[in-house]
Amino acid sequence: MKKIAVLGSTGSIGTQTLEVVRANPDLQVAALAAGSNVEKMERQIREFRPALACMWTTEAAEDLRQRVRDIDVKIVAGMEGLLEIAVFPESQVLVTAIVGMIGIRPTIAAIRAGKDIALANKETLVTAGHIIMPLAGECGVRILPVDSEHSAIFQSLNGEPADRIEKILLTASGGPFRGRNWEQLKEIRVEDALKHPNWVMGQKITIDSATLVNKGLEVMEAKWLFGVGLDRIQVVVHPQSIIHSAVQYVDGAVIAQLGMPDMKLPIQYALFYPDRRYMDGKRVDLFELGSLTFEKPDTDTFPGLALAYRAARLGGSMPTVYNAANEKAVALFLERKIEYLQIPELIGEAMESHRPIPDPGVEAVLEAEAETYEFIAGRMKR
Ligand code: NAD
Ligand code: MG
């Protein structure tokens, strides 16, 4: 029996994680955490019977407590609650399916407590990878990628040492606006940006996919996970999302992982690694696909990707500024307070105004986040 805890259980990755649990009787849910969806959390508690559950606000936690009075489950709230879930003694693996930098503290706490991390929460690695990766090494825990591209790279590596990697080929669907130019992107509405061609995901990552910021974050995620320099990470636009990424080795061999776009595969792979289990679902049919195509990313139209390389090269606290400015800009776009094209603009401006702090600790990372939020708020007042 393997026991897991899930941060962000009511979201896209969270619910798919629970689907994987449902299909594998030897997986058990020890603890769950979510933001505000009390109804969904109640249903999850009734089905999966965790011993511990967390809601972000105390009101939501109280509401939940009343709803599940008949069940033996402890309900906690806030950051303290998230930390309690992260280190919950009964669980062996923490699935980080929460969105944003709020995942940093719980992830660090879980690593210190010796839990393996099934990591979906890329923002945490982008901003605190320099803290998390060495800590995981010291504590002897594994960081198992859930992001489909990184899982594909992990599967393609299959234990090969990092110095055999010549290049990582990080595939990207190109998002819903692939092929358009800057002029055509002026009129983009929220609804257009929320229509991803191949994946159904949470709102933030869907917008990130439409700006290529998601790929930018993934470049940094790959750098930390696989210890490969930025000049060895090449983004390849592959609109069919069948090749989930590949590794080019020093002898020229390219090993890739292919599959239908379905996040349950990387989730299940992370949970059972190094075992590979049966999974139900549609298989790749090469005859049906006929052809797979590839393009260079258009970084002029989608500057979010080039800005990510720039932030990663500058390093220190700059990736935090890139990420925090994006988080805020995406929220403003979803509230219809800014235009689509202002997202990369605001990221660029926030980076311009920041002098990176080298090797920031957790406090400094969170300070850079807060400063960036303030910068954007000030910028909106003008
Ligand atoms: P989502 O918005 O669907 O779900 C987010 C979850 O986090 C929800 O359960 C929400 O309640 C919870 N949450 C948010 N704020 C919280 C808080 N303060 N306290 C407790 N819980 C909180 O997001 P998602 O699409 O599932 O993405 C989750 C993470 O996985 C992101 O980092 C994303 O980049 C990454 N990811 C997602 C996909 C995908 O297919 N959805 C693929 C690759 C990577
Ligand atoms: Mg991805």
Side-chain angles (χ1 to χ4, degrees), residues 61-347:
E62 190 43 45
D63 183 3
L64 182 65
R65 215 169 274 132
Q66 293 309 320
R67 286 166 182 262
V68 296
R69 263 183 320 221
D70 57 314
I71 297 177
D72 185 19
V73 52
K74 181 179 170 195
I75 310 294
V76 291
M79 180 50 77
E80 240 172 77
L82 289 179
L83 293 171
E84 199 172 331
I85 301 260
V87 303
F88 190 52
E90 274 181 42
S91 106
Q92 296 150 268
V93 183
L94 180 70
V95 181
T96 62
I98 202 166
V99 58
M101 288 172 66
I102 192 153
I104 295 178
R105 285 186 191 280
T107 305
I108 290 176
I111 295 170
R112 289 215 172 102
K115 318 287 182 195
D116 283 335
I117 308 291
L119 186 138
N121 178 217
K122 65 189 83 180
E123 296 88 352
T124 282
L125 216 46
V126 165
T127 56
H130 60 291
I131 300 167
I132 286 170
M133 293 313 291
L135 185 66
E138 276 167 40
C139 299
V141 312
R142 296 183 296 198
I143 307 289
L144 302 154
V146 166
D147 209 345
S148 58
E149 295 78 0
H150 305 75
S151 175
I153 295 161
F154 187 58
Q155 292 178 57
S156 303
L157 279 169
N158 205 12
E160 294 259 8
D163 66 355
R164 307 290 197 277
I165 305 174
E166 195 163 78
K167 214 187 211 181
I168 282 178
L169 302 168
L170 187 70
T171 53
S173 70
F177 309 134
R178 183 178 58 87
R180 297 200 198 176
N181 60 36
W182 185 265
E183 202 51 41
Q184 293 166 316
L185 292 179
K186 280 189 177 153
E187 306 286 299
I188 290 303
R189 296 165 310 160
V190 172
E191 304 81 76
D192 306 321
L194 283 177
K195 272 185 214 132
H196 194 278
N198 304 334
W199 301 94
V200 179
M201 310 177 284
Q203 287 202 332
K204 189 219 166 223
I205 186 175
T206 305
I207 302 299
D208 289 351
S209 301
T211 56
L212 291 202
V213 166
N214 182 50
K215 212 45 60 179
L217 295 171
E218 289 185 356
V219 167
M220 295 191 249
E221 189 185 7
K223 172 191 136 167
W224 289 120
L225 281 171
F226 307 112
V228 168
L230 293 165
D231 48 340
R232 289 173 187 247
I233 305 174
Q234 183 173 67
V235 173
V236 179
V237 175
H238 163 48
Q240 297 83 19
S241 297
I242 295 295
I243 299 182
H244 296 307
S245 282
V247 177
Q248 178 179 310
Y249 285 95
V250 285
D251 59 358
V254 175
I255 300 188
Q257 185 251 328
L258 285 69
M260 299 307 290
D262 182 349
M263 288 308 296
K264 291 200 293 300
L265 191 154
I267 293 168
Q268 177 170 295
Y269 191 76
L271 291 179
F272 289 110
Y273 177 79
D275 194 12
R276 200 182 272 284
R277 287 272 181 102
Y278 173 79
M279 202 182 99
D280 207 9
K282 187 166 160 42
R283 301 322 194 209
V284 170
D285 182 335
L286 294 176
F287 300 117
E288 194 181 302
L289 286 165
S291 64
L292 298 174
T293 61
F294 308 95
E295 310 165 8
K296 285 199 171 133
D298 175 0
T299 49
D300 293 330
T301 310
F302 301 98
L305 180 57
L307 283 168
Y309 274 96
R310 188 172 153 66
R313 286 213 167 88
L314 291 167
S317 53
M318 197 54 97
T320 295
V321 173
Y322 173 89
N323 178 69
N326 177 61
E327 281 190 25
K328 210 28 133 201
V330 169
L332 289 166
F333 173 66
L334 286 170
E335 290 165 27
R336 294 171 163 79
K337 289 190 177 141
I338 62 167
E339 306 286 322
Y340 167 87
L341 286 177
Q342 282 177 279
I343 299 173
E345 222 172 85
L346 285 172
I347 300 173

